[in-house]
Amino acid sequence: MKLSELYRQHHKLLERYVRRLLGNADEAADVSQEAFLRAYAAELGNATPLSEALLYTVARNLALTELRKRTFRATDTMGDLGDLELYAPGGNPEAHLEQQQMIAAIEKAMSKMAPKCLEVFRLRKIEDVPHAVIARQLLMSPKTVERHMTRALQLCHEALLEETEQSGALALTVAGRRRQE
């Protein structure tokens, strides 16, 4: 089957298939176009004949690669802990309190982490070591490093939410007491 004929018959179906996998129309369009190009390149290299099955297999593999990249990017979204500013005397006491609460929440989350998870988190977020280097140092796969980082960030997020809820409840209690007085 010719590439142009295969494209006319399947480009919308393939794009819809990839969009279901990725949940994003723009990425789906890019991935499906790349799938057509790679399938065509495979045919030109006499590796395999161009077919619908090949096209969907290539598209699925590209979509899974994109999902893996998302996971990797997601574990790097939390800013470095070194970005926390130190409290300067004469500075804003509320900002200092917020910072202290954030540090306490992160410390609480770190206390809940499994040893390997804590080590991965410490290397990545405190020492700024790249995932690939952490994987080599700790003799684990990059995917395992990503899983540990995802779990560590999840614990940090939960601790920060819990701290925010507690400080909000405390603020409401203090405000209620002031009204009663």
Side-chain angles (χ1 to χ4, degrees), residues 21-38:
L21 292 173
L22 296 176
N24 182 313
D26 292 333
E27 287 179 349
D30 291 343
V31 167
S32 61
Q33 183 177 11
E34 181 68 22
F36 276 104
L37 292 174
R38 290 197 184 185

Side-chain angles (χ1 to χ4, degrees), residues 103-119:
I103 290 170
I106 291 172
E107 286 175 345
K108 183 177 179 182
M110 290 173 76
S111 71
K112 292 180 180 179
M113 292 178 195
K116 285 285 186 184
C117 183
L118 178 61
E119 182 67 7

Side-chain angles (χ1 to χ4, degrees), residues 75-91:
T75 60
D76 273 349
T77 58
M78 183 176 172
D80 289 332
L81 298 178
D83 292 343
L84 295 174
E85 297 176 12
L86 295 175
Y87 176 69

Side-chain angles (χ1 to χ4, degrees), residues 6 13 30 78 98 117 156 172:
L6 191 64
L13 294 171
D30 291 343
M78 183 176 172
E98 282 182 23
C117 183
C156 287
L172 290 174

Side-chain angles (χ1 to χ4, degrees), residues 1 8 19 21 26 28 33 45 48 66 68 87 138 146 149 162-163 169 172 174 178:
M1 184 179 281
R8 269 193 308 279
R19 187 173 53 239
L21 292 173
D26 292 333
Q33 183 177 11
T48 185
E66 183 59 35
R68 270 189 236 101
Y87 176 69
L138 300 180
E146 290 174 20
M149 275 307 301
E162 186 178 307
E163 185 66 36
L172 290 174
V174 170
R178 285 185 188 153

Side-chain angles (χ1 to χ4, degrees), residues 138-149:
L138 300 180
L139 304 173
M140 58 178 64
S141 73
K143 188 70 178 171
T144 302
V145 171
E146 290 174 20
R147 285 188 186 120
H148 282 307
M149 275 307 301

Side-chain angles (χ1 to χ4, degrees), residues 76 120-126 128-131 134 149:
D76 273 349
V120 168
F121 181 77
R122 186 187 61 76
L123 287 169
R124 179 68 196 123
K125 292 299 177 188
I126 297 172
D128 201 29
V129 178
H131 283 185
I134 294 171
M149 275 307 301

